[in-house]
mmCIF file of all heavy atoms in Angstrom:
data_model
loop_
_atom_site.group_PDB
_atom_site.id
_atom_site.type_symbol
_atom_site.label_atom_id
_atom_site.label_comp_id
_atom_site.label_asym_id
_atom_site.label_seq_id
_atom_site.Cartn_x
_atom_site.Cartn_y
_atom_site.Cartn_z
ATOM 1 N N ARG A 1 3.516 -3.059 -4.496
ATOM 2 C CA ARG A 1 4.788 -2.893 -3.741
ATOM 3 C C ARG A 1 5.723 -1.972 -4.632
ATOM 4 O O ARG A 1 6.416 -1.160 -4.090
ATOM 5 C CB ARG A 1 5.529 -4.358 -3.671
ATOM 6 C CG ARG A 1 6.885 -4.247 -2.992
ATOM 7 C CD ARG A 1 7.386 -5.562 -2.867
ATOM 8 N NE ARG A 1 8.773 -5.576 -2.304
ATOM 9 C CZ ARG A 1 9.912 -5.383 -3.025
ATOM 10 N NH1 ARG A 1 9.782 -5.231 -4.365
ATOM 11 N NH2 ARG A 1 11.011 -5.331 -2.524
ATOM 12 N N GLU A 2 5.786 -2.205 -5.901
ATOM 13 C CA GLU A 2 6.644 -1.457 -6.789
ATOM 14 C C GLU A 2 6.110 0.071 -6.806
ATOM 15 O O GLU A 2 7.018 0.917 -6.703
ATOM 16 C CB GLU A 2 6.499 -1.923 -8.221
ATOM 17 C CG GLU A 2 7.273 -3.329 -8.346
ATOM 18 C CD GLU A 2 8.658 -3.163 -7.842
ATOM 19 O OE1 GLU A 2 9.443 -2.284 -8.225
ATOM 20 O OE2 GLU A 2 9.135 -4.099 -7.186
ATOM 21 N N ARG A 3 4.925 0.245 -6.753
ATOM 22 C CA ARG A 3 4.398 1.678 -6.683
ATOM 23 C C ARG A 3 4.759 2.357 -5.279
ATOM 24 O O ARG A 3 5.202 3.480 -5.294
ATOM 25 C CB ARG A 3 2.867 1.749 -6.883
ATOM 26 C CG ARG A 3 2.235 3.098 -6.591
ATOM 27 C CD ARG A 3 0.852 3.228 -7.101
ATOM 28 N NE ARG A 3 0.236 4.442 -6.600
ATOM 29 C CZ ARG A 3 0.491 5.659 -7.115
ATOM 30 N NH1 ARG A 3 1.314 5.855 -8.081
ATOM 31 N NH2 ARG A 3 -0.105 6.768 -6.636
ATOM 32 N N TYR A 4 4.733 1.580 -4.244
ATOM 33 C CA TYR A 4 5.086 2.102 -2.942
ATOM 34 C C TYR A 4 6.534 2.489 -2.972
ATOM 35 O O TYR A 4 6.902 3.539 -2.484
ATOM 36 C CB TYR A 4 4.664 1.110 -1.793
ATOM 37 C CG TYR A 4 4.609 1.883 -0.455
ATOM 38 C CD1 TYR A 4 3.249 2.070 -0.001
ATOM 39 C CD2 TYR A 4 5.655 2.312 0.289
ATOM 40 C CE1 TYR A 4 3.152 2.721 1.313
ATOM 41 C CE2 TYR A 4 5.561 3.008 1.461
ATOM 42 C CZ TYR A 4 4.241 3.177 1.947
ATOM 43 O OH TYR A 4 4.089 3.861 3.129
ATOM 44 N N LEU A 5 7.361 1.570 -3.440
ATOM 45 C CA LEU A 5 8.805 1.939 -3.407
ATOM 46 C C LEU A 5 9.091 3.062 -4.374
ATOM 47 O O LEU A 5 9.974 3.919 -4.058
ATOM 48 C CB LEU A 5 9.490 0.668 -3.882
ATOM 49 C CG LEU A 5 9.572 -0.536 -2.928
ATOM 50 C CD1 LEU A 5 10.221 -1.768 -3.693
ATOM 51 C CD2 LEU A 5 10.327 -0.261 -1.654
ATOM 52 N N THR A 6 8.485 3.189 -5.502
ATOM 53 C CA THR A 6 8.700 4.352 -6.347
ATOM 54 C C THR A 6 8.283 5.619 -5.730
ATOM 55 O O THR A 6 9.053 6.626 -5.849
ATOM 56 C CB THR A 6 7.882 4.091 -7.645
ATOM 57 O OG1 THR A 6 8.268 2.975 -8.341
ATOM 58 C CG2 THR A 6 7.920 5.323 -8.611
ATOM 59 N N LEU A 7 7.230 5.577 -4.975
ATOM 60 C CA LEU A 7 6.759 6.901 -4.205
ATOM 61 C C LEU A 7 7.663 7.126 -3.181
ATOM 62 O O LEU A 7 7.962 8.352 -2.836
ATOM 63 C CB LEU A 7 5.367 6.701 -3.843
ATOM 64 C CG LEU A 7 4.340 6.799 -5.028
ATOM 65 C CD1 LEU A 7 2.946 6.359 -4.462
ATOM 66 C CD2 LEU A 7 4.261 8.194 -5.592
ATOM 67 N N GLN A 8 8.216 6.197 -2.401
ATOM 68 C CA GLN A 8 9.213 6.364 -1.395
ATOM 69 C C GLN A 8 10.412 7.054 -1.959
ATOM 70 O O GLN A 8 10.938 8.013 -1.346
ATOM 71 C CB GLN A 8 9.518 5.101 -0.668
ATOM 72 C CG GLN A 8 8.509 4.659 0.330
ATOM 73 C CD GLN A 8 9.067 3.443 1.267
ATOM 74 O OE1 GLN A 8 9.703 2.581 0.681
ATOM 75 N NE2 GLN A 8 8.746 3.488 2.519
ATOM 76 N N ARG A 9 10.954 6.591 -3.089
ATOM 77 C CA ARG A 9 12.069 7.169 -3.683
ATOM 78 C C ARG A 9 11.803 8.651 -4.049
ATOM 79 O O ARG A 9 12.695 9.458 -3.886
ATOM 80 C CB ARG A 9 12.583 6.328 -4.903
ATOM 81 C CG ARG A 9 13.177 5.018 -4.542
ATOM 82 C CD ARG A 9 13.820 4.365 -5.739
ATOM 83 N NE ARG A 9 12.878 3.963 -6.695
ATOM 84 C CZ ARG A 9 12.327 2.756 -6.741
ATOM 85 N NH1 ARG A 9 12.715 1.732 -5.822
ATOM 86 N NH2 ARG A 9 11.479 2.347 -7.693
ATOM 87 N N ALA A 10 10.645 8.935 -4.657
ATOM 88 C CA ALA A 10 10.256 10.249 -5.035
ATOM 89 C C ALA A 10 10.263 11.128 -3.848
ATOM 90 O O ALA A 10 10.759 12.304 -3.785
ATOM 91 C CB ALA A 10 9.006 10.246 -5.735
ATOM 92 N N MET A 11 9.681 10.763 -2.667
ATOM 93 C CA MET A 11 9.610 11.493 -1.571
ATOM 94 C C MET A 11 11.034 11.784 -0.971
ATOM 95 O O MET A 11 11.304 12.885 -0.544
ATOM 96 C CB MET A 11 8.679 10.822 -0.430
ATOM 97 C CG MET A 11 7.284 10.870 -0.763
ATOM 98 S SD MET A 11 6.186 10.318 0.654
ATOM 99 C CE MET A 11 6.352 8.485 0.364
ATOM 100 N N LEU A 12 11.846 10.747 -0.894
ATOM 101 C CA LEU A 12 13.148 10.930 -0.363
ATOM 102 C C LEU A 12 14.017 11.900 -1.243
ATOM 103 O O LEU A 12 14.687 12.817 -0.670
ATOM 104 C CB LEU A 12 13.905 9.513 -0.466
ATOM 105 C CG LEU A 12 15.373 9.556 0.103
ATOM 106 C CD1 LEU A 12 15.510 10.111 1.433
ATOM 107 C CD2 LEU A 12 15.992 8.146 -0.058
ATOM 108 N N SER A 13 13.950 11.820 -2.576
ATOM 109 C CA SER A 13 14.675 12.738 -3.529
ATOM 110 C C SER A 13 14.197 14.196 -3.210
ATOM 111 O O SER A 13 14.950 14.997 -3.091
ATOM 112 C CB SER A 13 14.443 12.240 -4.879
ATOM 113 O OG SER A 13 15.071 13.153 -5.726
ATOM 114 N N ALA A 14 12.893 14.385 -3.194
ATOM 115 C CA ALA A 14 12.336 15.745 -3.107
ATOM 116 C C ALA A 14 12.620 16.305 -1.743
ATOM 117 O O ALA A 14 13.111 17.557 -1.665
ATOM 118 C CB ALA A 14 10.776 15.750 -3.340
ATOM 119 N N THR A 15 12.475 15.582 -0.646
ATOM 120 C CA THR A 15 12.681 16.259 0.694
ATOM 121 C C THR A 15 14.187 16.374 1.013
ATOM 122 O O THR A 15 14.537 17.348 1.614
ATOM 123 C CB THR A 15 12.152 15.202 1.723
ATOM 124 O OG1 THR A 15 12.583 13.925 1.632
ATOM 125 C CG2 THR A 15 10.572 15.270 1.638
ATOM 126 N N SER A 16 15.097 15.506 0.492
ATOM 127 C CA SER A 16 16.463 15.729 0.719
ATOM 128 C C SER A 16 16.967 16.972 -0.014
ATOM 129 O O SER A 16 17.814 17.763 0.449
ATOM 130 C CB SER A 16 17.238 14.542 0.170
ATOM 131 O OG SER A 16 16.935 13.295 0.942
ATOM 132 N N ARG A 17 16.478 17.192 -1.235
ATOM 133 C CA ARG A 17 16.872 18.310 -2.062
ATOM 134 C C ARG A 17 16.286 19.581 -1.363
ATOM 135 O O ARG A 17 17.076 20.646 -1.221
ATOM 136 C CB ARG A 17 16.341 18.255 -3.411
ATOM 137 C CG ARG A 17 16.711 19.373 -4.357
ATOM 138 C CD ARG A 17 16.384 19.104 -5.818
ATOM 139 N NE ARG A 17 14.878 18.848 -5.928
ATOM 140 C CZ ARG A 17 14.323 17.770 -6.209
ATOM 141 N NH1 ARG A 17 15.099 16.541 -6.173
ATOM 142 N NH2 ARG A 17 13.009 17.593 -6.247
ATOM 143 N N LEU A 18 15.125 19.645 -0.923
ATOM 144 C CA LEU A 18 14.554 20.756 -0.216
ATOM 145 C C LEU A 18 15.220 21.073 1.041
ATOM 146 O O LEU A 18 15.436 22.358 1.398
ATOM 147 C CB LEU A 18 13.063 20.621 -0.014
ATOM 148 C CG LEU A 18 12.077 20.761 -1.194
ATOM 149 C CD1 LEU A 18 10.643 20.503 -0.679
ATOM 150 C CD2 LEU A 18 12.099 22.217 -1.649
ATOM 151 N N ARG A 19 15.543 20.097 1.815
ATOM 152 C CA ARG A 19 16.149 20.304 3.182
ATOM 153 C C ARG A 19 17.409 20.853 2.991
ATOM 154 O O ARG A 19 17.786 21.842 3.751
ATOM 155 C CB ARG A 19 16.213 18.958 3.805
ATOM 156 C CG ARG A 19 16.477 18.938 5.377
ATOM 157 C CD ARG A 19 16.198 17.580 5.936
ATOM 158 N NE ARG A 19 16.610 17.615 7.339
ATOM 159 C CZ ARG A 19 16.564 16.528 8.155
ATOM 160 N NH1 ARG A 19 16.159 15.305 7.580
ATOM 161 N NH2 ARG A 19 16.867 16.530 9.445
ATOM 162 N N GLY A 20 18.268 20.377 2.056
ATOM 163 C CA GLY A 20 19.564 21.003 1.779
ATOM 164 C C GLY A 20 19.473 22.527 1.394
ATOM 165 O O GLY A 20 20.232 23.332 1.732
ATOM 166 N N ARG A 21 18.539 22.760 0.494
ATOM 167 C CA ARG A 21 18.344 24.201 -0.036
ATOM 168 C C ARG A 21 17.893 25.040 1.120
ATOM 169 O O ARG A 21 18.461 26.226 1.152
ATOM 170 C CB ARG A 21 17.338 24.130 -1.102
ATOM 171 C CG ARG A 21 17.085 25.505 -1.843
ATOM 172 C CD ARG A 21 16.093 25.335 -2.964
ATOM 173 N NE ARG A 21 15.731 26.568 -3.633
ATOM 174 C CZ ARG A 21 16.534 27.096 -4.500
ATOM 175 N NH1 ARG A 21 17.580 26.459 -4.927
ATOM 176 N NH2 ARG A 21 16.154 28.272 -5.104
ATOM 177 N N LEU A 22 16.972 24.737 1.929
ATOM 178 C CA LEU A 22 16.553 25.453 3.088
ATOM 179 C C LEU A 22 17.734 25.768 4.100
ATOM 180 O O LEU A 22 17.851 26.911 4.665
ATOM 181 C CB LEU A 22 15.345 24.895 3.766
ATOM 182 C CG LEU A 22 14.051 24.857 2.898
ATOM 183 C CD1 LEU A 22 12.983 24.148 3.651
ATOM 184 C CD2 LEU A 22 13.612 26.194 2.479
ATOM 185 N N ARG A 23 18.491 24.742 4.346
ATOM 186 C CA ARG A 23 19.651 24.910 5.163
ATOM 187 C C ARG A 23 20.634 25.938 4.691
ATOM 188 O O ARG A 23 21.118 26.834 5.405
ATOM 189 C CB ARG A 23 20.443 23.613 5.387
ATOM 190 C CG ARG A 23 19.724 22.622 6.330
ATOM 191 C CD ARG A 23 20.640 21.569 6.879
ATOM 192 N NE ARG A 23 21.247 20.790 5.803
ATOM 193 C CZ ARG A 23 20.721 19.501 5.472
ATOM 194 N NH1 ARG A 23 19.804 19.054 6.137
ATOM 195 N NH2 ARG A 23 21.299 18.847 4.505
ATOM 196 N N ASP A 24 20.889 25.898 3.412
ATOM 197 C CA ASP A 24 21.665 26.942 2.749
ATOM 198 C C ASP A 24 21.192 28.349 3.010
ATOM 199 O O ASP A 24 21.927 29.279 3.237
ATOM 200 C CB ASP A 24 21.994 26.706 1.303
ATOM 201 C CG ASP A 24 22.733 25.430 0.934
ATOM 202 O OD1 ASP A 24 23.421 24.911 1.890
ATOM 203 O OD2 ASP A 24 22.717 24.947 -0.241
ATOM 204 N N MET A 25 19.869 28.480 2.851
ATOM 205 C CA MET A 25 19.252 29.779 3.148
ATOM 206 C C MET A 25 19.352 30.217 4.595
ATOM 207 O O MET A 25 19.577 31.409 4.961
ATOM 208 C CB MET A 25 17.760 29.739 2.726
ATOM 209 C CG MET A 25 17.597 29.581 1.180
ATOM 210 S SD MET A 25 15.856 29.490 0.676
ATOM 211 C CE MET A 25 15.966 29.111 -1.011
ATOM 212 N N LEU A 26 19.267 29.202 5.500
ATOM 213 C CA LEU A 26 19.408 29.559 6.904
ATOM 214 C C LEU A 26 20.820 30.052 7.239
ATOM 215 O O LEU A 26 20.902 31.042 7.981
ATOM 216 C CB LEU A 26 19.164 28.276 7.761
ATOM 217 C CG LEU A 26 17.811 27.976 8.155
ATOM 218 C CD1 LEU A 26 17.742 26.632 8.858
ATOM 219 C CD2 LEU A 26 17.067 29.144 9.065
ATOM 220 N N THR A 27 21.820 29.538 6.575
ATOM 221 C CA THR A 27 23.171 30.009 6.828
ATOM 222 C C THR A 27 23.399 31.560 6.495
ATOM 223 O O THR A 27 24.259 32.188 7.052
ATOM 224 C CB THR A 27 24.256 29.242 6.076
ATOM 225 O OG1 THR A 27 24.117 29.448 4.690
ATOM 226 C CG2 THR A 27 24.166 27.749 6.399
ATOM 227 N N ARG A 28 22.467 32.046 5.681
ATOM 228 C CA ARG A 28 22.709 33.461 5.236
ATOM 229 C C ARG A 28 21.734 34.360 5.987
ATOM 230 O O ARG A 28 21.631 35.612 5.701
ATOM 231 C CB ARG A 28 22.218 33.596 3.702
ATOM 232 C CG ARG A 28 23.284 32.837 2.782
ATOM 233 C CD ARG A 28 22.942 33.089 1.324
ATOM 234 N NE ARG A 28 21.686 32.608 0.861
ATOM 235 C CZ ARG A 28 21.613 31.371 0.427
ATOM 236 N NH1 ARG A 28 22.699 30.590 0.314
ATOM 237 N NH2 ARG A 28 20.458 30.814 -0.104
ATOM 238 N N THR A 29 21.016 33.784 6.988
ATOM 239 C CA THR A 29 20.036 34.591 7.747
ATOM 240 C C THR A 29 20.622 35.183 8.952
ATOM 241 O O THR A 29 20.562 36.430 9.216
ATOM 242 C CB THR A 29 18.856 33.697 8.194
ATOM 243 O OG1 THR A 29 18.253 33.073 7.030
ATOM 244 C CG2 THR A 29 17.831 34.386 8.830
ATOM 245 N N SER A 30 21.269 34.458 9.828
ATOM 246 C CA SER A 30 21.887 34.954 11.076
ATOM 247 C C SER A 30 22.808 33.908 11.636
ATOM 248 O O SER A 30 22.736 32.643 11.252
ATOM 249 C CB SER A 30 20.794 35.332 12.019
ATOM 250 O OG SER A 30 20.245 34.105 12.582
ATOM 251 N N PRO A 31 23.749 34.315 12.488
ATOM 252 C CA PRO A 31 24.631 33.264 13.099
ATOM 253 C C PRO A 31 23.842 32.129 13.760
ATOM 254 O O PRO A 31 24.273 31.007 13.781
ATOM 255 C CB PRO A 31 25.479 34.083 14.056
ATOM 256 C CG PRO A 31 25.453 35.480 13.470
ATOM 257 C CD PRO A 31 24.070 35.702 12.903
ATOM 258 N N GLU A 32 22.824 32.495 14.435
ATOM 259 C CA GLU A 32 21.992 31.467 15.244
ATOM 260 C C GLU A 32 21.346 30.542 14.314
ATOM 261 O O GLU A 32 21.398 29.235 14.524
ATOM 262 C CB GLU A 32 20.950 32.185 16.118
ATOM 263 C CG GLU A 32 21.463 33.001 17.282
ATOM 264 C CD GLU A 32 21.998 34.309 16.862
ATOM 265 O OE1 GLU A 32 21.757 34.745 15.635
ATOM 266 O OE2 GLU A 32 22.678 35.029 17.588
ATOM 267 N N MET A 33 20.813 31.007 13.174
ATOM 268 C CA MET A 33 20.259 30.215 12.130
ATOM 269 C C MET A 33 21.275 29.301 11.470
ATOM 270 O O MET A 33 21.036 28.276 11.011
ATOM 271 C CB MET A 33 19.292 31.059 11.185
ATOM 272 C CG MET A 33 18.144 31.690 11.749
ATOM 273 S SD MET A 33 16.911 30.495 12.444
ATOM 274 C CE MET A 33 17.312 30.521 14.168
ATOM 275 N N ALA A 34 22.431 29.829 11.271
ATOM 276 C CA ALA A 34 23.479 29.101 10.651
ATOM 277 C C ALA A 34 23.884 27.851 11.482
ATOM 278 O O ALA A 34 24.136 26.729 11.024
ATOM 279 C CB ALA A 34 24.726 29.951 10.337
ATOM 280 N N ARG A 35 23.895 28.132 12.815
ATOM 281 C CA ARG A 35 24.158 26.896 13.741
ATOM 282 C C ARG A 35 22.960 25.862 13.611
ATOM 283 O O ARG A 35 23.317 24.638 13.667
ATOM 284 C CB ARG A 35 24.306 27.496 15.205
ATOM 285 C CG ARG A 35 24.831 26.403 16.127
ATOM 286 C CD ARG A 35 25.062 26.952 17.488
ATOM 287 N NE ARG A 35 26.015 28.120 17.520
ATOM 288 C CZ ARG A 35 27.274 28.040 17.459
ATOM 289 N NH1 ARG A 35 27.887 26.889 17.261
ATOM 290 N NH2 ARG A 35 28.020 29.064 17.579
ATOM 291 N N LEU A 36 21.773 26.332 13.544
ATOM 292 C CA LEU A 36 20.698 25.389 13.451
ATOM 293 C C LEU A 36 20.751 24.603 12.164
ATOM 294 O O LEU A 36 20.540 23.428 12.219
ATOM 295 C CB LEU A 36 19.322 26.266 13.409
ATOM 296 C CG LEU A 36 18.048 25.408 13.107
ATOM 297 C CD1 LEU A 36 17.838 24.366 14.190
ATOM 298 C CD2 LEU A 36 16.763 26.377 12.992
#
């Protein structure tokens, strides 16, 4: 159980950080991508 929870936290941290970074890049691509 502790291992599963640890891996869930690692996945959440990594995906949240990547998702925000990719959104920032989208805003610099085009108006349509900024809306997305």
Side-chain angles (χ1 to χ4, degrees):
R1 177 180 178 275
E2 291 305 313
R3 173 165 167 76
Y4 203 103
L5 292 173
T6 297
L7 288 169
Q8 279 190 321
R9 288 191 291 269
M11 287 189 282
L12 175 60
S13 176
T15 53
S16 296
R17 184 170 59 255
L18 279 179
R19 196 170 176 181
R21 184 175 177 84
L22 293 177
R23 282 198 299 261
D24 289 345
M25 293 178 184
L26 273 176
T27 65
R28 296 188 290 274
T29 303
S30 70
E32 293 78 11
M33 293 297 99
R35 193 178 300 283
L36 173 61

